[in-house]
Amino acid sequence: MNRTSKVLLVDDEESIHMVIEQALKKEAYQILYAENGEKALEYFHKESPDLVILDIMLPIIDGYEVCRLIREKSNVPILMLSAKGDIVDKSIGFNFGADDYVVKPFSPVELSLRVKALLRRSGDHEQDTKLPCSQSIIKGELEINCERHEVFIRGKMIYLTPKEFELLCFMAEHPARVFTREQLFSQMWGEEYISDPSTITVFIRKLREKIERNPAKPEYIRTVWGVGYKFSD
């Protein structure tokens, strides 16, 4: 028998609790509730949830800081909730290590699909004995150590969130191949997701800021105008 997945829901609005509980009811998840950031961290360390649904605007400790502190210790999937949905806000959330970002008001069906996809992909990664790529990839001043999940630029190790590393490693494994934003989104989150190309735009921008000498004139992750992106060959 498969173990019931444990979901930690962090939000101070009771109405959101009810909507999410109803959305996830069919999957029979064990749902834990925390109404502020302090409780969220307490429950996270005590209960070791399989996934965290995390509102940004929280009492005591905000969602960004909670996300950062969790990410220092764990790669557990984190889905952030926010009433703000522009690229800047998404960029902040992803930069703190969030795996997904849902804008309020949201569709309960879509939320359920996203939770299911994150849990499935997390389980797949744990069970997969293969490395995310066959060997270390070296391109100019960039080195990607797939076994250790480390990235070096000009000999200095840089921090990438789990999703940033996944995207970079995937593209680096397929140099010169052009991917649309929709294809990259599907690779990162699964085909059942409602595609959100702006999410890929955010990730590409953050990666360029971290690995390129001049993000405005990228050497590694290049734009193919009217199509998408490619990793240079």
Side-chain angles (χ1 to χ4, degrees):
M1 176 179 282
N2 292 331
R3 181 177 65 86
T4 300
S5 294
K6 191 181 297 184
V7 176
L8 174 59
L9 169 58
V10 189
D11 198 298
D12 61 339
E13 296 182 47
E14 186 174 348
S15 59
I16 295 295
H17 288 188
M18 295 175 63
V19 170
I20 293 178
E21 182 176 15
Q22 188 65 29
L24 303 182
K25 192 175 182 180
K26 290 183 179 180
E27 302 299 332
Y29 301 131
Q30 180 184 351
I31 303 177
L32 309 170
Y33 299 102
E35 68 277 8
N36 61 59
E38 186 175 67
K39 285 290 185 183
L41 293 171
E42 178 185 334
Y43 290 164
F44 178 80
H45 294 300
K46 181 180 178 181
E47 300 290 344
S48 299
D50 301 291
L51 180 140
V52 179
I53 300 176
L54 179 62
D55 188 33
I56 292 175
M57 302 299 292
L58 293 171
I60 305 179
I61 305 174
D62 69 33
Y64 291 135
E65 181 66 4
V66 172
C67 184
R68 184 187 71 80
L69 292 170
I70 289 176
R71 195 53 81 220
E72 285 183 350
K73 303 292 185 181
S74 171
N75 284 332
V76 65
I78 299 175
L79 187 156
M80 298 200 87
L81 300 177
S82 176
K84 299 179 180 180
D86 61 30
I87 288 181
V88 173
D89 292 300
K90 287 185 176 181
S91 179
I92 294 172
F94 289 131
N95 199 43
F96 276 100
D99 296 283
D100 201 359
Y101 191 107
V102 173
V103 180
K104 300 177 181 178
F106 51 83
S107 160
V109 173
E110 181 183 355
L111 180 75
S112 178
L113 287 173
R114 292 190 175 211
V115 167
K116 191 174 183 179
L118 285 171
L119 286 170
R120 189 192 68 245
R121 290 175 66 82
S122 176
D124 288 345
H125 288 169
E126 288 178 1
Q127 295 171 19
D128 192 357
T129 57
K130 295 181 180 179
L131 300 179
C133 45
S134 58
Q135 57 186 358
S136 292
I137 298 172
I138 299 176
K139 173 69 177 177
E141 298 175 325
L142 175 67
E143 179 181 353
I144 306 169
N145 187 314
C146 301
E147 182 177 5
R148 297 182 179 179
H149 280 231
E150 294 175 344
V151 177
F152 298 84
I153 189 74
R154 294 179 289 280
K156 181 180 179 181
M157 187 168 72
I158 60 172
Y159 170 75
L160 297 184
T161 67
K163 281 295 184 185
E164 287 171 347
F165 181 87
E166 183 181 345
L167 178 59
L168 177 63
C169 202
F170 174 73
M171 294 186 71
E173 281 192 290
H174 303 88
R177 179 175 172 182
V178 180
F179 294 97
T180 65
R181 291 188 298 174
E182 290 77 11
Q183 287 173 324
L184 291 172
F185 189 94
S186 178
Q187 170 64 30
M188 295 278 286
W189 283 278
E191 294 181 355
E192 65 268 51
Y193 267 49
I194 297 174
S195 181
D196 181 4
S198 68
T199 296
I200 293 299
T201 302
V202 170
F203 273 90
I204 293 294
R205 186 178 70 183
K206 299 307 296 183
L207 279 174
R208 284 173 171 169
E209 290 174 354
K210 292 181 178 183
I211 70 174
E212 303 283 1
R213 278 187 178 272
N214 183 356
K217 297 180 179 180
E219 175 185 353
Y220 303 110
I221 301 177
R222 297 181 177 177
T223 300
V224 180
W225 294 107
V227 184
Y229 304 100
K230 69 175 183 178
F231 190 87
S232 60
D233 54 3

